[in-house]
Amino acid sequence: MSARGSAHGRVNLVGEHTDYNGGLVLPTVIPQQTEMVVERRSDRLIRLRTEARGMAPVEVPLDAIAPRRDWSDHVLGVVDTLRRRGHDLGGFAAEVRSTVPLGAGLSSSAALGVATVRGLREAFALRIDDRDVALIAHESEDQFVGAHVGLMDQLVCSLGREGEALRIDLRDRSTRHIALDRIDMEIAVIDSGIRHQHATGDYQKGRDSGPSSTGRATPGSYNVRRRECEDAARALGVRTLRDVGVSTDTSALSPMLARRVRHVLSENARVDAAVDAIERSDAPTLGDVIKASHASLRDDFEVSLPVIDDIVAAAQRESDVHGARLVGGGFGGSVLVLTRRGAARAVAERIASRSGSLKVVLPAAPR
């Protein structure tokens, strides 16, 4: 008998590069999801396959799991994490099916990790709740895959609900569901076609290659940005940048590190401003928050690219758009566009039609 586990992708309304700094985030799940179909085997082999193009099937002995630096690490890492936590697993065959675009900043890797935990939970009758599902998927990503991401993606992929945003405080891991049905807002996501290749995943397409000499976004810079935040926190004598007060003197930091700190502090404030705007059904103010987030990601955190900035600018010239910004880790990926309700698909298609490399991934095209 087959067991199944699934998880939605996500788009983050606001709160970018704050999660690994112990900060605030406000993601919501998207309709696209990843499903893992698992069948137990009588031996101790793991056989994996995926419908994703260019990703070969994998066969690995259960007792000889090690990182392979390919898509299967996101599954094998979960197996390794579960076994280290004392869960009893046997051999299995699994097939991965997904409609979450790879490399578009929509948490394809986290969705795969969460779907894997859920599929194995059902197949092997593991006693794991949905919050632990997120923690296991995150531990796999961090320790086995080597992508030192924050916990936001796994938490929302496991705990998020359609039609709601999830305010997460990564300092204490508390969550609060925020209804989105009373604000004049619809979400569009436009894939730039530029694939980020940092070690956060895209089913492990690329590795960290370090920053450019200019400090501008380059493939692999995600882990570099995280190290910069850690360096800044260490220099300021705090555990994470969440512990830095708004009046803290940052003059001893290099100008670059001071910019990183400024982004994190201001982005945390924008999360609560966004929640307040949503709860007051104030779409224009929410749009202003989104615009300010992009400016900070571009200028202070330096994770945008000129082509992304052009997409954002084109979106913000549309009369039905409240605001737009880079979404995801940066260095490519997608643009989030907040429109008036009912306008998202038309607006996104107009923007995407200006370049053959752009693709509307949300709202999904009608069938």
Side-chain angles (χ1 to χ4, degrees):
M1 179 182 294
S2 297
R4 282 175 163 77
S6 63
H8 290 268
R10 70 95 184 100
V11 62
N12 192 20
L13 296 179
V14 68
E16 218 67 80
H17 290 276
T18 52
D19 58 344
Y20 55 79
N21 285 297
L24 304 176
V25 293
L26 191 66
T28 184
V29 295
I30 62 175
Q32 292 92 329
Q33 57 186 310
T34 296
E35 181 183 51
M36 168 167 275
V37 181
V38 182
E39 292 191 3
R40 294 180 62 161
R41 295 172 54 90
S42 59
D43 56 22
R44 296 184 68 76
L45 278 179
I46 298 173
R47 288 182 174 172
L48 307 175
R49 57 181 294 119
T50 176
E51 295 178 341
R53 194 171 4 179
M55 298 184 184
V58 170
E59 182 175 299
V60 179
L62 177 63
D63 299 309
I65 290 176
R68 296 170 51 87
R69 299 297 185 258
D70 64 20
W71 73 273
S72 67
D73 280 2
H74 298 278
V75 177
L76 298 176
V78 167
V79 175
D80 181 70
T81 302
L82 286 169
R83 295 184 76 201
R84 284 189 292 101
R85 286 178 170 229
H87 293 285
D88 186 22
L89 302 179
F92 65 91
E95 181 173 1
V96 176
R97 306 163 184 166
S98 185
T99 55
V100 182
L102 301 183
L106 299 175
S107 291
S108 57
S109 297
L112 175 56
V114 169
T116 298
V117 183
R118 286 177 168 168
L120 295 176
R121 177 177 65 179
E122 181 178 332
F124 293 97
L126 307 179
R127 301 186 66 174
I128 303 170
D129 66 21
D130 281 340
R131 189 169 287 270
D132 277 338
V133 165
L135 297 178
I136 290 164
H138 178 263
E139 185 177 330
S140 165
E141 193 85 355
D142 184 70
Q143 301 297 321
F144 190 93
V145 178
H148 304 306
V149 296
L151 186 56
M152 172 186 71
D153 290 353
Q154 289 80 12
L155 279 173
V156 69
C157 289
S158 187
L159 303 178
R161 302 192 293 242
E162 290 191 84
E164 297 179 340
L166 187 68
R167 181 193 183 274
I168 307 172
D169 186 333
L170 273 303
R171 179 154 58 187
D172 59 12
R173 298 179 180 175
S174 61
T175 57
R176 180 158 68 96
H177 293 270
I178 311 295
L180 298 175
D181 59 347
R182 288 182 290 181
I183 185 170
D184 180 18
M185 179 196 84
E186 190 174 3
I187 297 170
V189 176
I190 301 171
D191 182 356
S192 70
I194 300 172
R195 288 294 170 260
H196 52 212
Q197 294 182 1
H198 46 66
T200 60
D202 314 329
Y203 295 2
Q204 198 70 5
K205 284 175 64 177
R207 306 300 298 165
D208 188 348
S209 61
S212 71
S213 60
T214 63
R216 294 295 293 171
T218 63
S221 294
Y222 182 96
N223 283 345
V224 173
R225 291 297 183 273
R226 179 164 184 158
R227 287 195 294 270
E228 290 167 352
C229 290
E230 291 168 352
D231 290 345
R234 191 177 305 111
L236 293 171
V238 295
R239 188 174 64 85
T240 71
L241 293 185
R242 178 66 184 281
D243 301 318
V244 176
V246 293
S247 60
T248 298
D249 181 10
T250 61
S251 61
L253 299 178
S254 69
M256 180 268 288
L257 289 184
R259 291 195 300 273
R260 305 295 187 255
V261 173
R262 184 168 60 210
H263 167 76
V264 172
L265 297 186
S266 62
E267 191 77 347
N268 282 330
R270 281 188 285 271
V271 169
D272 279 336
V275 169
D276 179 67
I278 292 168
E279 293 182 331
R280 291 187 294 103
S281 300
D282 187 349
T285 295
L286 178 61
D288 289 341
V289 171
I290 299 305
K291 294 174 187 176
S293 176
H294 181 76
S296 183
L297 288 164
R298 180 193 64 214
D299 299 335
D300 284 344
F301 221 69
E302 298 177 284
V303 292
S304 190
L305 297 169
V307 67
I308 299 292
D309 297 338
D310 289 344
I311 299 168
V312 169
Q316 293 182 162
R317 287 193 293 269
E318 292 276 343
S319 60
D320 286 329
V321 169
H322 299 306
R325 73 173 188 88
L326 165 71
V327 68
F331 325 116
S334 296
V335 169
L336 165 73
V337 183
L338 294 188
T339 74
R340 293 186 173 90
R341 193 175 296 277
R345 184 75 199 181
V347 166
E349 286 180 343
R350 280 199 299 273
I351 297 167
S353 68
R354 300 170 189 176
S355 171
S357 65
L358 303 184
K359 179 181 178 181
V360 179
V361 295
L362 195 69
R367 295 185 177 182

